[in-house]
Amino acid sequence: MRRRKKSEDYGFNVWRSYSDMMAGVLLLFVLIMCVTLFQAQKSYNESLKERDEKLAMQEAYTQEILDQQNALNEKEGQLQSQNEQIKSQDELLAQQKAMLDELAIQLKDQEKTLNAQQTALDEKTALLADQQKKIDNIIGVKAEVVEALRQEFSQNDINVDIDAKTGAMTLDANVMFDVNEAELTEDGQEALRKVLPIYCKVLLEEEYKPYLAEIIIDGYTDTDGDYTYNLELSQQRSLAVAEYLLEIQYEFLSADQSLDLQDYLTVNGHSMANPILDAQGNVNKEASRRVEVKFRLKDDEMISELSEIMSDTQS
């Protein structure tokens, strides 16, 4: 009985030892598993952390790339806008160039027009200069004739009214004619015999005759009465002076000069036109009754012609 008990105790102890050993092994396994799990959890946590850090870095990198892409897009937009502006400026420059080309053509046309106008102006200027020269000559000749008349009358001690500009000689009709008459009185004939020879001889001198166009006798009345009556009376009086001049011309003119006088002589009646006014502006009837003897040079019309040319030039 004791042997069996020892054997059973021994078996029990073996199993107990084995059980303890297995428990130790299990505990060790559990510890190992715990350590392993801890390490695995730690590694997993570190992996998650590393993954999160990488994701954060990736997000940051991605955001940086997006920011750079946005910056690039913005720059691209700016470049595109600048390209559009450049394109617009190029179009504007092209338009301006076209306008400049058109203006250049217009300037050439205007230059041609100005050249043509300058040529025309030069021609007119030359014409004006030529006309002015001729007119200066006419004025000079007329002034010489008027001065020669004044000197000739002065040398003969004859006081006569001669216009300093026109050379017109005014004769008092009250001396030469009776009231409402056209026949020369003796006093009138005597007055004409003194002045007409001097006046005509000066005009018919060889120095002035080439310029002479007319010797004119104009008759005027006062403002009383009918115009038609006064017209006839003024014509008759101027004709009476002309007839008396032709009657006495051989006393002081050569035969050739007498023929010239007939070609130059012109008679006019002006009725009551161009009356003489006094200082108060009233008609001086006595002074208005008059006969005027005057002359016209051949080229007197050139003065009017020059005025027309100058008017055309200014317009």
Side-chain angles (χ1 to χ4, degrees), residues 14-281:
V14 171
W15 282 106
R16 186 177 179 183
S17 297
Y18 179 76
S19 174
D20 292 337
M21 182 183 68
M22 292 300 293
V25 171
L26 178 62
L27 180 60
L28 179 61
F29 177 77
V30 170
L31 289 172
I32 292 171
M33 287 297 295
C34 289
V35 172
T36 302
L37 288 173
F38 177 77
Q39 291 292 334
Q41 183 65 39
K42 184 178 180 183
S43 297
Y44 176 74
N45 290 335
E46 290 178 353
S47 297
L48 288 177
K49 184 179 180 182
E50 184 178 356
R51 184 199 66 181
D52 292 338
E53 290 177 354
K54 289 181 178 180
L55 287 174
M57 290 177 62
Q58 186 176 1
E59 288 178 358
Y61 180 71
T62 301
Q63 185 62 42
E64 184 178 355
I65 291 175
L66 289 174
D67 292 340
Q68 292 177 354
Q69 184 64 41
N70 290 333
L72 289 174
N73 292 335
E74 185 178 354
K75 289 184 178 179
E76 184 178 358
Q78 292 177 354
L79 289 174
Q80 185 175 359
S81 176
Q82 291 176 354
N83 289 333
E84 290 177 355
Q85 291 179 358
I86 292 172
K87 184 178 179 181
S88 177
Q89 290 177 353
D90 289 341
E91 292 176 354
L92 181 61
L93 288 174
Q95 293 177 357
Q96 291 177 346
K97 185 177 183 301
M99 290 176 61
L100 289 174
D101 292 339
E102 185 177 353
L103 287 174
I105 294 173
Q106 292 178 359
L107 286 174
K108 287 183 179 179
D109 292 339
Q110 290 178 353
E111 185 178 0
K112 290 180 181 179
T113 302
L114 288 175
N115 290 335
Q117 291 177 348
Q118 185 63 45
T119 301
L121 182 60
D122 292 341
E123 292 176 355
K124 286 186 178 181
T125 302
L127 178 60
L128 286 174
D130 183 61
Q131 295 288 347
Q132 186 64 51
K133 183 178 180 180
K134 291 180 180 179
I135 286 175
D136 291 341
N137 185 47
I138 295 167
I139 294 173
V141 171
K142 196 162 193 173
E144 288 181 12
V145 174
V146 173
E147 183 60 26
L149 287 170
R150 293 167 65 89
Q151 289 183 2
E152 194 67 25
F153 280 113
S154 177
Q155 290 175 3
N156 286 274
D157 295 326
I158 298 175
N159 185 17
V160 65
D161 183 13
I162 294 182
D163 189 275
K165 292 183 179 179
T166 65
M169 177 174 62
T170 301
L171 305 174
D172 188 356
N174 297 299
V175 174
M176 294 185 295
F177 303 100
D178 292 330
V179 177
N180 293 328
E181 295 293 334
E183 183 178 352
L184 286 169
T185 63
E186 291 184 0
D187 290 340
Q189 291 179 357
E190 183 179 354
L192 291 177
R193 187 178 288 274
K194 290 181 180 179
V195 298
L196 289 180
I198 295 174
Y199 197 89
C200 292
K201 282 182 68 174
V202 171
L203 292 176
L204 293 173
E205 288 181 2
E206 294 299 324
E207 182 180 358
Y208 305 125
K209 190 168 67 173
Y211 300 98
L212 186 63
E214 284 183 297
I215 298 175
I216 305 167
I217 300 176
D218 288 332
Y220 297 88
T221 66
D222 58 27
T223 55
D224 290 338
D226 179 69
Y227 177 85
T228 303
Y229 172 80
N230 284 324
L231 178 62
E232 183 177 357
L233 180 62
S234 64
Q235 289 175 337
Q236 290 175 351
R237 285 180 172 179
S238 60
L239 181 60
V241 174
E243 288 175 343
Y244 186 73
L245 172 60
L246 293 175
E247 181 181 335
I248 65 174
Q249 63 178 324
Y250 300 106
E251 297 178 8
F252 58 88
L253 295 178
S254 65
D256 292 337
Q257 288 176 327
S258 296
L259 292 175
D260 291 335
L261 177 62
Q262 295 175 23
D263 292 335
Y264 295 136
L265 193 59
T266 300
V267 177
N268 299 311
H270 297 279
S271 185
M272 58 183 67
N274 300 323
I276 303 299
L277 305 179
D278 58 20
Q280 288 73 35

Side-chain angles (χ1 to χ4, degrees), residues 4-16:
R4 185 179 290 183
K5 188 176 177 181
K6 287 182 179 179
S7 177
E8 290 177 357
D9 291 336
Y10 177 77
F12 175 78
N13 290 329
V14 171
W15 282 106
R16 186 177 179 183

